[in-house]
Amino acid sequence: MLGEAKIKRVILSENPMQFFETFGDRIFLTKEELKEYIKSQERWRRRESKKKRLWMVIELEGIKKHDKPIKPKRFVSVGGQYLRE
């Protein structure tokens, strides 16, 4: 584990470009990278499907970076691990 954080909120939107209005440049991708990603995904989209997919932003708080990697006591997937108080 290289770091940890708490999830502050999760936001869903049909238009991912709207996230830049809310978060400015604090988004993981640049506008250009996001546009390229959207363009690359068009080939996978079904032509007959009219339903728009939702995009998700996970806003983090209390982000801590560890000086040295910490090996968890049990396996943790790429998706992370839920901690309960």
Side-chain angles (χ1 to χ4, degrees):
M1 181 167 49
L2 296 174
E4 57 190 280
K6 289 185 180 181
I7 296 175
K8 182 176 180 180
R9 63 181 170 161
V10 177
I11 303 171
L12 301 172
S13 175
E14 288 183 358
N15 180 1
M17 299 307 282
Q18 288 180 334
F19 296 136
F20 288 98
E21 294 174 17
T22 304
F23 298 103
D25 64 353
R26 296 184 307 148
I27 293 180
F28 181 70
L29 300 174
T30 65
K31 284 184 181 182
E32 292 74 27
E33 290 170 328
L34 180 57
K35 288 176 186 176
E36 281 297 315
Y37 179 77
I38 292 169
K39 186 177 176 182
S40 75
Q41 297 303 300
E42 288 175 2
R43 65 183 168 147
W44 301 108
R45 193 191 318 298
R46 293 184 181 180
R47 303 226 188 275
E48 67 274 4
S49 176
K50 300 292 182 194
K51 184 178 177 184
K52 288 192 173 191
R53 290 185 173 190
L54 292 177
W55 292 77
M56 178 183 353
V57 161
I58 300 173
E59 186 177 7
L60 304 174
E61 66 181 359
I63 300 170
K64 294 184 224 172
K65 183 178 179 184
H66 301 298
D67 293 333
K68 295 181 181 180
I70 299 172
K71 185 174 181 175
K73 294 178 183 175
R74 65 183 183 93
F75 175 77
V76 178
S77 71
V78 176
Q81 177 179 346
Y82 288 99
L83 302 176
R84 291 171 175 73
E85 295 182 54

